[in-house]
Amino acid sequence: MIWAKEETLPRAEIEKIQLEKLRQTVAYIYEKVEPYRKKMDAAKVKPEDIRTLEDLRKLPFTYKSDFKDNYPFGLFAVDKKELVRYHASSGTTGKPTVVGYTRHDLDVWLNNVARIACMGGATADDVAQISFGYGTFTGALGLHGGLEKIGASVIPMSSGNTNKQIMFIQDMGVTLLVATPSYALHLGEQIRERGIDPKKDLRMHIGLFGGEGMTEPMRDEMHRVWGDQFICTQNYGMSELCGPGVSGECTELCGMHVNEDWFIPEIIDPETEEVLPPGEHGELVVTCLGKEALPLVRYRTGDLTKLMYEPCKCGRTTCRMENLSGRADDMLVIRGVNVFPTQIEEVLFKIEEIGPHYEILVERKNRLDVMTISVELIDDRLLDSYASLSKLEQRIKSALKAQLGLATQIKLVGPNSLQRFEGKAKRVTDLRKDGL
Amino acid sequence: MKQISVFVENQPGSLMRVTSALNEAKVNIRAAASFDTPEFGILRLVVDQPVKAKEYLTSKGFVVRVQDVIGAELKDEKGNLNQMLKILAEGNISIGYIYSFVIRENRAPVMVFHSDDNEKARGVLKEAGILLVDDEEL
Ligand SMILES: [Zn+2]
């Protein structure tokens, strides 16, 4: 099923909608949001200079750092009393990236998620278990609201507690799973270990995955674990843009359809910042259209992909994004949570007993991400007893947990044993191959 | 008596790197103990020149701690370790760890231990006539 007629318009009509909304959006931010006005003035561009979609290129980029510099409300365009919801995601340092929604924004957002759920094959008959962590992240409540819109029954399970997850899947006849693909694989294997055959014994037939990329080997593995009846699609979004609902795979599995009447995607060369022609690979830049609370123009997502404009067999005419192939920056996605090494650094620098150097190792064990951070012990007082060393480890772990919302492993090493770098340090080793 | 504690990672050769550094510095090892945890270990040593040992190891990039421990000489007779531990238990002193000398050159064995109250431990052992060993005798 196709949720909205805007998904199937001829290109000329999609572009007409985009241009009209773009001009409104640019006039709106120039009037309402001071940091945008300042940037546009500096770039000598006025709202009336935007006459064609090509003119989008005249506008300055917006960066994640703009959220930090204007924390918490500086980029908001409406009075705080107009807001009906806040969400937040990882910032590059201690403060999160906070986003807000008016009632209209929520409605647009959840309708966009409803489109994505339909792309992945969901209908009103589905019983959907949301196994994303709830809380300030947009993933859980986004899919939750979108699936409710199409009339599916939603179980707000949240993450963790595998036994309870399995009990609900069995007892409630769950047909649709919302999770990170790695957690879905973990859960599927746990189900098999209990002697349950998902294809024969369960009603599960749809997986809507997000929070991290799903590679093709992961999708194959998903079928092996859950059975070939399991339709696995992934979708894309980030809290700054709204949350999930920016784009999603249809069941033809040939890229993620962008909801183009609400988002204009561009691909740029992250180094030169030049816009690249369709089909070229580079950093995704997104302009949100018609957002009231937190309009966002030319946002540098940091995600690397390419865009395909040929109409799809599914009937949709909206352009498609290829599977993300990586990041333009050093952001990591750990168990669906975005992690910036700078966040880790900030925590470690405050702990006096360890040196300033560190290394991050990311592996996937038993399907789940494990992040190990090596730090150099420099304070000899801790050698009085094992207890003092363990206490230090615990202290680092809980400080990181508070900052990242994630459990980490700490490895204490001797001084000078970590590699020193001249110039740009390479502190992260990611051993996850093809997501498996 | 002084003990040096050295932070070592759990990997092949990590203890040897400490002992060979001490060899280079011409420091003699009298007693050694290490206990493993999954990730790291503390190598505890009694050496003849603890200050020099710390200086040299630190210059080689090790984290080293010099600590006060008790060296108690045992007469080479049955039941003597038990006897010493009994004295400490009666003095309500709890022992953190205990190990013994590896080299004693025909002299009586020495137990090295660390307790929650080293001063009190020294007192009760002396009172019981147990010979305590000083750094000078190493
Ligand atoms: Zn399609």
Side-chain angles (χ1 to χ4, degrees):
Chain A
M1 185 182 57
I2 294 176
W3 183 251
K5 65 174 191 328
E6 287 82 0
E7 298 175 73
T8 56
L9 298 175
R11 181 119 301 265
E13 277 185 57
I14 295 176
E15 290 182 355
K16 197 173 148 236
I17 295 174
Q18 285 183 326
L19 179 60
E20 194 184 314
K21 284 188 179 175
L22 176 65
R23 295 179 68 174
Q24 285 165 3
T25 296
V26 175
Y28 182 72
I29 58 167
Y30 192 78
E31 187 200 331
K32 305 268 190 183
V33 188
E34 199 194 336
Y36 280 123
R37 183 163 57 244
K38 281 187 176 160
K39 275 192 180 190
M40 284 174 63
D41 286 343
K44 296 190 166 51
V45 51
K46 295 274 177 242
E48 48 277 19
D49 297 333
I50 308 302
R51 295 189 195 90
T52 67
L53 281 179
E54 292 275 287
D55 291 336
L56 177 60
R57 298 176 189 190
K58 293 177 182 165
L59 295 167
F61 292 110
T62 307
Y63 301 87
K64 185 146 184 106
S65 58
D66 289 311
F67 281 86
K68 190 174 94 186
D69 298 344
N70 297 288
Y71 179 85
F73 301 117
L75 294 179
F76 282 60
V78 296
D79 195 279
K80 273 178 276 175
K81 65 174 187 287
E82 305 289 318
L83 300 173
V84 296
R85 177 82 66 79
Y86 288 108
H87 278 286
S89 64
S90 319
T92 47
T93 54
K95 295 291 187 188
T97 300
V98 171
V99 300
Y101 306 76
T102 63
R103 192 164 296 285
H104 178 254
D105 288 336
L106 264 194
D107 195 52
V108 170
W109 174 31
L110 300 180
N111 260 303
N112 279 333
V113 180
R115 292 184 189 179
I116 266 93
C118 289
M119 286 179 206
T123 69
D125 297 334
D126 280 304
V127 180
Q129 182 150 311
I130 314 279
S131 302
F132 280 149
Y134 277 68
T136 57
F137 292 115
T138 49
L141 279 162
L143 266 300
H144 178 129
L147 283 158
E148 274 183 358
K149 273 214 188 281
I150 67 170
S153 320
V154 174
I155 304 171
M157 177 59 63
S158 202
S159 53
N161 201 343
T162 303
N163 283 326
K164 193 177 168 196
Q165 302 264 1
I166 296 173
M167 182 177 75
F168 270 73
I169 288 172
Q170 287 186 294
D171 298 353
M172 309 303 289
V174 170
T175 61
L176 186 155
L177 180 68
V178 173
T180 59
S182 51
Y183 185 71
L185 280 173
H186 174 78
L187 188 60
E189 283 177 346
Q190 293 296 310
I191 286 174
R192 283 199 174 274
E193 257 177 43
R194 286 159 175 74
I196 303 162
D197 179 347
K199 185 177 178 178
K200 287 210 311 263
D201 306 331
L202 302 175
R203 298 185 56 210
M204 189 70 82
H205 70 116
I206 292 174
L208 296 181
F209 301 123
E212 65 183 9
M214 176 169 60
T215 60
E216 289 312 314
M218 280 175 101
R219 200 187 322 253
D220 293 342
E221 198 67 4
M222 208 73 85
H223 288 134
R224 196 186 61 73
V225 172
W226 285 92
D228 52 12
Q229 84 294 351
F230 199 43
I231 303 167
C232 306
T233 61
Q234 62 185 326
N235 54 78
Y236 174 82
M238 58 174 63
S239 60
E240 295 94 312
L241 305 177
C242 68
V246 176
S247 67
E249 281 178 328
C250 67
T251 51
E252 297 292 329
L253 306 181
C254 51
M256 296 181 274
H257 285 281
V258 179
N259 284 321
E260 281 188 279
D261 52 327
W262 295 103
F263 303 97
I264 303 179
E266 296 171 275
I267 297 291
I268 65 162
D269 177 327
E271 300 296 325
T272 65
E273 304 202 318
E274 234 175 286
V275 177
L276 301 175
E280 297 249 336
H281 196 262
E283 182 182 345
L284 177 70
V285 172
V286 177
T287 297
C288 300
L289 301 171
K291 252 171 110 192
E292 290 181 344
L294 190 62
L296 202 53
V297 166
R298 302 199 85 198
Y299 187 61
R300 297 283 297 264
T301 65
D303 288 315
L304 300 175
T305 183
K306 72 173 188 181
L307 297 173
M308 299 165 282
Y309 284 86
E310 302 77 28
C312 181
K313 275 185 248 165
C314 72
R316 290 178 183 83
T317 52
T318 46
C319 77
R320 289 161 289 127
M321 283 166 58
E322 197 178 62
N323 264 1
L324 303 182
S325 63
R327 291 281 304 174
D329 59 12
D330 53 4
M331 188 186 90
L332 293 162
V333 183
I334 310 290
R335 299 190 179 205
V337 177
N338 296 347
V339 174
F340 292 91
T342 44
Q343 290 176 282
I344 294 172
E345 196 167 299
E346 200 180 54
V347 170
L348 299 179
F349 281 7
K350 286 182 192 148
I351 297 171
E352 285 169 6
E353 293 90 335
I354 56 176
H357 299 275
Y358 63 93
E359 281 175 11
I360 301 170
L361 176 71
V362 186
E363 303 159 276
R364 198 155 265 176
K365 287 183 181 166
N366 201 11
R367 304 293 186 194
L368 302 175
D369 294 331
V370 178
M371 180 164 58
T372 306
I373 300 162
S374 298
V375 292
E376 292 180 352
L377 178 75
I378 55 170
D379 187 341
D380 64 278
R381 284 172 304 174
L382 296 165
L383 296 180
D384 283 349
S385 69
Y386 281 93
S388 342
L389 281 175
S390 301
K391 254 185 227 155
L392 172 68
E393 269 193 346
Q394 279 314 317
R395 238 176 74 218
I396 303 173
K397 281 185 190 175
S398 29
L400 285 167
K401 172 96 202 211
Q403 169 82 295
L404 311 173
L406 277 172
T408 51
Q409 304 288 319
I410 297 300
K411 187 175 174 213
L412 291 176
V413 300
N416 295 305
S417 52
L418 299 178
Q419 205 182 334
R420 284 352 187 215
F421 297 93
E422 285 177 34
K424 195 171 160 45
K426 203 188 163 303
R427 304 192 189 283
V428 180
T429 307
D430 194 338
L431 294 180
R432 294 172 295 183
K433 291 236 163 46
D434 294 329
L436 292 172
Chain B
M1 194 167 73
K2 296 280 181 273
Q3 157 195 271
I4 62 169
S5 300
V6 188
F7 178 80
V8 285
E9 289 163 45
N10 264 0
Q11 47 177 253
S14 62
L15 298 185
M16 184 274 292
R17 275 192 284 279
V18 178
T19 53
S20 65
L22 290 173
N23 256 345
E24 279 162 34
K26 306 226 168 350
V27 170
N28 295 306
I29 299 167
R30 296 306 185 202
S34 108
F35 310 92
D36 62 332
T37 66
E39 302 89 21
F40 53 77
I42 302 174
L43 175 62
R44 304 189 201 278
L45 300 165
V46 176
V47 297
D48 56 355
Q49 305 163 80
V51 176
K52 186 179 173 193
K54 170 163 175 148
E55 267 171 28
Y56 191 74
L57 286 172
T58 305
S59 79
K60 291 286 170 188
F62 293 95
V63 187
V64 184
R65 178 81 166 158
V66 177
Q67 268 172 301
D68 178 46
V69 287
I70 298 167
E73 194 173 285
L74 291 184
K75 292 199 188 81
D76 212 351
E77 289 167 12
K78 277 180 187 163
N80 257 349
L81 177 60
N82 178 50
Q83 181 61 24
M84 185 187 92
L85 293 175
K86 198 172 155 203
I87 294 162
L88 293 167
E90 279 162 5
N92 202 25
I93 292 157
S94 116
I95 296 175
Y97 48 85
I98 184 163
Y99 57 104
S100 60
F101 269 45
V102 281
I103 296 161
R104 236 344 230 171
E105 289 158 4
N106 301 325
R107 286 190 282 165
V110 170
M111 299 305 299
V112 181
F113 67 92
H114 184 269
S115 74
D116 58 346
D117 189 343
N118 281 353
E119 275 320 296
K120 191 176 170 196
R122 277 195 190 91
V124 296
L125 290 171
K126 271 185 186 159
E127 213 169 288
I130 288 176
L131 188 63
L132 300 185
V133 181
D134 291 329
D135 287 330
E136 289 73 52
E137 297 172 46
L138 303 172

